[in-house]
């Protein structure tokens, strides 16, 4: 069965998509740790990041870096934190999280955003890509 994220890639589930190419997609996390929390995923469904082919892994890091730089301009923060967990969704994803404090990267505290805030974030991040 396809992962939730494969369904997002295929347009079967909605998402606030930021940017994609033939290999990767960046979209906003629906239950963000902090405003601007973004996920970067490979379109090829694979469970664990270190099982990726080396060149695909490096390409995912390159894609994530580009998105992180735009995110840092769009969302005021001290820096962009990066994390890979995957305990909830078994489809590789890099978390990019605008950080103000350590709690923002701990996945214990969530923030809720309105549809308008999600849409505004997408536009703002895209404007810096
Ligand atoms: P992890 O697998 O790294 O523990 O976390 C999965 C992440 O995916 C969580 O931050 C969660 O909020 C996010 N997530 C789970 N389902 C969806 C979804 O349907 N849409 C979006 N945009 N994010 C999701």
């Amino acid at each position: 069965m396809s992962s939730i994220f494969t369904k997002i890639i295929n347009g079967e589930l909605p998402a606030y998509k930021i940017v994609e190419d033939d290999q990767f997609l960046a979209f906003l996390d629906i239950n963000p740790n902090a405003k601007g929390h973004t996920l970067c995923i490979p379109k090829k469904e694979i469970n664990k990041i270190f099982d990726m082919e080396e060149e695909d892994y490096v390409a995912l890091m390159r894609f994530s870096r580009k998105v992180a730089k735009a995110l840092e301009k769009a969302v005021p923060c001290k820096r962009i934190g990066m994390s890979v967990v995957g305990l909830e969704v078994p489809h590789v994803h890099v978390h990019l999280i605008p950080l103000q404090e350590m709690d923002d990267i701990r996945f214990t505290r969530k923030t809720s955003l309105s549809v308008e805030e999600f849409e505004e974030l997408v536009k703002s991040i895209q404007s810096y890509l």
Side-chain angles (χ1 to χ4, degrees):
M1 205 182 80
S2 305
S3 74
I4 290 175
F5 291 169
T6 293
K7 289 185 175 146
I8 286 174
I9 291 162
N10 294 336
E12 295 161 27
L13 286 176
Y16 297 100
K17 293 183 178 179
I18 299 164
V19 62
E20 65 185 303
D21 62 18
D22 56 335
Q23 267 188 291
F24 305 109
L25 168 68
F27 58 102
L28 293 173
D29 194 298
I30 204 65
N31 190 21
N33 287 18
K35 193 170 178 178
H37 184 166
T38 296
L39 303 175
C40 297
I41 65 172
K43 291 187 172 176
K44 186 166 142 193
E45 188 175 327
I46 181 161
N47 183 354
K48 298 177 185 173
I49 193 163
F50 298 123
D51 288 340
M52 291 178 79
E53 293 296 331
E54 186 176 328
E55 69 182 75
D56 294 341
Y57 169 83
V58 170
L60 173 61
M61 288 302 123
R62 194 178 298 121
F63 179 85
S64 300
R65 178 175 179 270
K66 190 177 82 176
V67 175
K69 285 188 168 288
L71 183 56
E72 190 166 24
K73 291 186 183 123
V75 179
C77 61
K78 289 186 176 161
R79 61 179 58 220
I80 302 299
M82 184 174 85
S83 174
V84 177
V85 186
L87 290 173
E88 185 187 331
V89 180
H91 181 145
V92 172
H93 49 285
V94 174
H95 294 265
L96 299 177
I97 306 169
L99 302 180
Q100 295 297 345
E101 53 181 315
M102 194 59 109
D103 274 344
D104 294 330
I105 198 93
R106 288 205 168 109
F107 297 89
T108 50
R109 193 185 59 189
K110 297 290 179 174
T111 190
S112 56
L113 300 176
S114 65
V115 170
E116 291 73 25
E117 285 175 302
F118 276 116
E119 288 174 349
E120 191 50 48
L121 273 166
V122 169
K123 276 195 227 142
S124 177
I125 299 163
Q126 285 172 339
S127 75
Y128 291 108
L129 280 167

